[in-house]
Structure formats: C-alpha cells, structure tokens
Amino acid sequence: MELEVRHLRALCAIADTGSLHRAARHLGVSQPSLSTQLRRVEQELGGALFVRARTGCRPTPLGRLVLSRARPLVTELRSLVTEARAAAVGGRQLRIGSTASRALAGWLRRLRRHWQEPTLHMDVSANALLRMVADGQLDVAFVHEVEGFPLRVPEGLRTRVLVEREPQCVSLPADHPAAARPVVHLSDLAGDRWMIDPAVDGEWDAVRRLLHAAGISPRVLHGDYHTAASLVAIGEVVTVCQPTSPSRPETAVRRLHGDPLGVRLLLAARTESELEGVYPDLAEAYREVALQAPAYREWLDQDLVPGP
C-alpha cells in the first residue's frame, strides 16, 4: 500500500480530535472504516502511530514524527486547490509564506478586507520561503533571521524590517523552579534536557553557541516545535520560543537573562508595491500580539513596533 493524501488527512484528524469516533465523524466516514485505514497505514510505516485508550487516542513518538511531516503536506495541498480554483475564475489571490508567528491570524484577518481569501504556506525554513518568492511561487514572505546567521536573500527581492531585534524567550514547565522568577539564567537550565528544531535556519547553531558561551552542555533533543511544546508541558524538556508565545497552565514563558538570543523579523517581496500593500496590516497585527504578552510588553520599546 502506498500512502495517499487521504491517509495523511485521516492521521491529522485523529490527532486533532483525539478520538477515532470524532475523527470519523469529521471526515464523513464510518469508525470501522477509519480504524481499518489506520491499521493499514501503521503496517505500511512499521509501527503504532497512536496509543488507543478509553479516554481517546494520543500520538506515539512515531506518530508525532509522521504528523510533523504530514501537516505541512496537507496544508500545501489545500493551498494548491484554493489557488487553482481562484485561477480558474480569474481571481487575484495573495500568496503568503511565513515562518511561525502569533501575528499571522491577525494579519490574515486584516488582509481579507482587501483581498479574497489569501493562501498561506508555512515553512520552518526562512531561506526556503525566500526562494519561493524569488521563483514566483509566493507573493510575499514573513520570516525571521536568527542573529549572527544571515539569511540568503535572493537577488532582486525587496525586504522591509518589521522588528530589528526580537528577543527570544524560553518555554519551561510551569512547576520548574526557575519559572518562579520573571527572568531565567541559562545556568538555571543546565540540568534540563533541551529540544531544538534543526530545520529552522540558524537556530540550532545559535543555541549551541549560546550554551557554549554560558559554559553549559545540556542534553539536547532534535525535533519540531509542536512536539517540543507537548514535551515541555509534561516536564520532559525546555525550549526556546518567541516572546509573544502565551504561557499556559502547564507551561511558562520567561525571558533569558541579558536577552542573549534574538531574531530580526523581515517581510520580503519582489516589488516595493507588494511590500507596501501588506506591510501596514502586518505591523498592526504584530503590535496587537506583542502588547498581549506581559513580559514582552514591559521589555518592548514602542518605537520598535510601528503603530497602526
């Protein structure tokens, strides 16, 4: 059996709903049919993707790995279909690329006032998104550049800086001793296991340099940040995160002492007019989420975030 897009959609639905019953209802199939499909996918991949219990389904480590690759593919196909339908009726659709940001929801909401439904392509690699803009596959890309590791901006692209330096924070379990303080020293985390996504351009190199400069050599796991967030919540790891990331009951977002890790936020397009058409909405959306994060709001010089 070869994996198909419908199999990936099924896996995402099971993970999102936490239940075979709810996933089957969401997909419009019977539960026995979905269970059979899941067994065949697991046989094809060589292991269990979900732990089944009376309380529902949760991904196994193999399942988390597969889901981290499946979600972008499902999203990309959805974007392809949306763009094709728009092209078929001669519509002009704005194609956006972005690395992860809490400002995205507000940006898209504002863009809908001027455009028909924009398409969104997410990627952890800022360099990959910039290449897609240069190749004409995307109209604009909102990306972050890790301090000390410049992005490879293709010739001919225009860029505009949204934030010159956004300090990166650390996400740790809410019951971690260091979470009791608003600012965390790296030495407080020397005994913890860290999780970093090496697919994020420059990030692993920057964190490795940061830890070396602090004189600590913690255990490091490599994996995507969706998985990292889940492991932080159960006390398995700590990880770097954006300052706009929300603290949750099981996790805490804290500043690092001295703000030793930063990124520059950039918007890229092929023309100045394309930048001008979307930049104000992005600046407004970013300002909105920045001011909703208490620790970041205290740190932030308002001049760094353009007003509406």
Side-chain angles (χ1 to χ4, degrees), residues 144 146 165-170 203 240-244 253-257 259-265 286 296:
H144 69 271
V146 179
R165 189 178 193 274
E166 181 191 74
Q168 300 301 280
C169 294
V170 63
E203 188 145 292
V240 295
C241 68
Q242 298 171 4
T244 52
V253 174
R254 296 291 183 264
R255 284 179 53 197
L256 287 168
H257 179 71
D259 299 315
L261 184 64
V263 303
R264 186 167 65 146
L265 303 182
Y286 184 84
Y296 192 28

Side-chain angles (χ1 to χ4, degrees), residues 62-73 223-227:
L62 176 61
R64 288 194 293 268
L65 172 64
V66 173
L67 286 164
S68 72
R69 299 295 183 262
R71 290 187 190 280
L73 294 173
D224 66 275
Y225 282 119
H226 291 293
T227 303

Side-chain angles (χ1 to χ4, degrees), residues 144 146 149 168 196-198 200-208 225 240 261 263:
H144 69 271
V146 179
F149 298 90
Q168 300 301 280
I196 303 296
D197 189 345
V200 178
D201 295 318
E203 188 145 292
W204 167 227
D205 291 325
V207 172
R208 180 166 48 190
Y225 282 119
V240 295
L261 184 64
V263 303

Side-chain angles (χ1 to χ4, degrees), residues 39-59:
R39 283 196 301 271
R40 288 175 177 170
V41 172
E42 289 177 326
Q43 288 170 359
E44 176 69 17
L45 297 180
L49 301 179
F50 294 92
V51 176
R52 287 88 149 172
R54 277 189 287 182
T55 55
C57 295
R58 67 178 188 277

Side-chain angles (χ1 to χ4, degrees), residues 44-126:
E44 176 69 17
L45 297 180
L49 301 179
F50 294 92
V51 176
R52 287 88 149 172
R54 277 189 287 182
T55 55
C57 295
R58 67 178 188 277
T60 62
L62 176 61
R64 288 194 293 268
L65 172 64
V66 173
L67 286 164
S68 72
R69 299 295 183 262
R71 290 187 190 280
L73 294 173
V74 172
T75 300
E76 177 67 12
L77 181 64
R78 188 182 300 121
S79 296
L80 185 154
V81 172
T82 301
E83 290 181 37
R85 287 173 176 169
V89 296
R92 173 70 172 95
Q93 193 144 42
L94 180 66
R95 301 165 300 169
I96 296 171
S98 182
T99 48
S101 172
R102 288 194 69 225
L104 278 177
W107 189 27
L108 292 172
R109 185 175 69 248
R110 288 168 172 83
L111 288 173
R112 291 189 191 104
R113 298 178 302 195
H114 321 298
W115 304 79
Q116 61 175 303
E117 186 69 29
T119 64
L120 176 63
H121 176 87
M122 299 291 295
D123 200 309
V124 296
S125 171

